[in-house]
Amino acid sequence: MTDTAGGGSRTATATLLHARDVHVAYADEVVLDDVGLALEPGHCLALAGANGSGKSTLLRVCVGRQQPDRGEVAFAGAPPREADPAFRREVGLLLDGAECFPDLTVAEHVRMVATAHGLGSDAGPAADRVLAGLGLEHRGDAFPEALSAGQRQMLLLASVLVRPARLIVVDEPEQRLDTAARRRLAAALRTAKEAGTAVLLASHDRATVEEVADRVLLLDRGRVAALGAPAEVTGAAEVSPWR
């Protein structure tokens, strides 16, 4: 079997995350209509589309947070189960509802995540590197309530990026970030890809998509409207959400 949604022709055995014929409906409203995707290690697949096109629902289905009405999803050959500790060790998530620990400083927060995921004596240096890369090194002693909205978003991103993961799934990570912070976000996601991590990204930001994604899956009212390299999708006036 061959699937091309993650970036070029590839065999199923090389695919880390795979979805086929995913259908989700609420009463008479179809949210996802037989959508599929495939994603390899070291690649980024970006989901694009207007609000309500099904991006966030597809992310939730891909991590087992929501079950489809029909269709199949597999991570590393098995159904995704967000509550499974083994799955959580391998998949870093930033979806709706993510929160900071209010009683920990920025540095303590990120070091704790790194330690909890087995980095041991490397937890501190790893946290320092991620915070520097995201422009938070000067806020290490601050508590979340003292951060701006963009800085809190970067803290949540740091907590995802500091830990080892085979797959990172992020929903509109560019929210509340200024242009400089979005560039740091893109650079951090590219670094994760270079380390072999797969990235599934939903985004409204054209620049982030073009800088990070290998392939773009454009959704329109729950259906796949286009699939291709970023330049093919973002530059096609008849299908691009940025036209």
Side-chain angles (χ1 to χ4, degrees), residues 146-241:
L147 302 177
S148 68
Q151 289 170 339
R152 284 193 296 272
Q153 179 74 351
M154 281 302 209
L155 173 56
L156 291 170
L157 287 164
S159 300
V160 172
L161 294 168
V162 74
R163 44 159 299 184
R166 296 177 68 187
L167 171 66
I168 290 173
V169 180
V170 285
D171 192 3
E172 298 183 24
E174 73 278 2
Q175 291 185 86
R176 298 176 289 278
L177 301 184
D178 61 22
T179 300
R182 291 184 182 197
R183 292 196 189 102
R184 289 192 290 269
L185 161 68
L189 292 177
R190 289 196 304 269
T191 297
K193 284 174 47 182
E194 291 165 3
T197 300
V199 178
L200 181 59
L201 161 74
S203 178
H204 284 289
D205 186 59
R206 178 174 181 166
T208 299
V209 168
E210 290 179 337
E211 288 183 43
V212 179
D214 299 286
R215 302 282 276 180
V216 180
L217 179 66
L218 175 64
L219 292 170
D220 181 16
R221 289 168 289 185
R223 295 186 176 183
V224 176
L227 170 66
E232 297 171 355
V233 176
T234 64
E238 69 276 12
V239 297
S240 175

Side-chain angles (χ1 to χ4, degrees), residues 8 17 37 48 58 84 100 103 105 193 207:
L17 178 68
L37 60 81
L58 184 54
D84 182 353
C100 305
D103 297 328
T105 67
K193 284 174 47 182

Side-chain angles (χ1 to χ4, degrees), residues 1-151:
M1 179 179 67
T2 302
D3 199 319
T4 59
S9 179
R10 58 200 57 185
T11 61
T13 55
T15 300
L16 180 65
L17 178 68
H18 179 81
R20 176 188 290 175
D21 299 331
V22 171
H23 185 93
V24 175
Y26 303 116
D28 295 330
E29 180 184 1
V30 175
V31 180
L32 293 173
D33 191 3
D34 295 333
V35 174
L37 60 81
L39 179 58
E40 283 185 350
H43 288 74
C44 174
L45 174 64
L47 308 182
N51 287 332
S53 60
K55 302 185 302 297
S56 295
T57 300
L58 184 54
L59 292 184
R60 291 194 299 270
V61 168
C62 284
V63 301
R65 184 171 290 187
Q66 179 172 346
Q67 295 302 310
D69 299 316
R70 65 171 183 264
E72 61 181 38
V73 181
F75 169 75
R81 304 184 189 281
E82 189 187 7
D84 182 353
F87 179 82
R88 294 176 73 108
R89 280 194 298 271
E90 297 193 315
V91 180
L93 304 178
L94 179 54
L95 303 181
D96 288 344
E99 296 182 356
C100 305
F101 294 103
D103 297 328
L104 297 179
T105 67
V106 166
E108 289 170 344
H109 190 294
V110 180
R111 283 198 301 268
M112 183 197 70
V113 173
T115 300
H117 285 87
L119 291 188
S121 60
D122 292 330
D128 291 343
R129 285 194 300 272
V130 170
L131 290 173
L134 295 178
L136 283 180
E137 69 277 15
H138 66 296
R139 301 295 278 154
D141 293 331
F143 290 92
E145 65 178 11
L147 302 177
S148 68
Q151 289 170 339

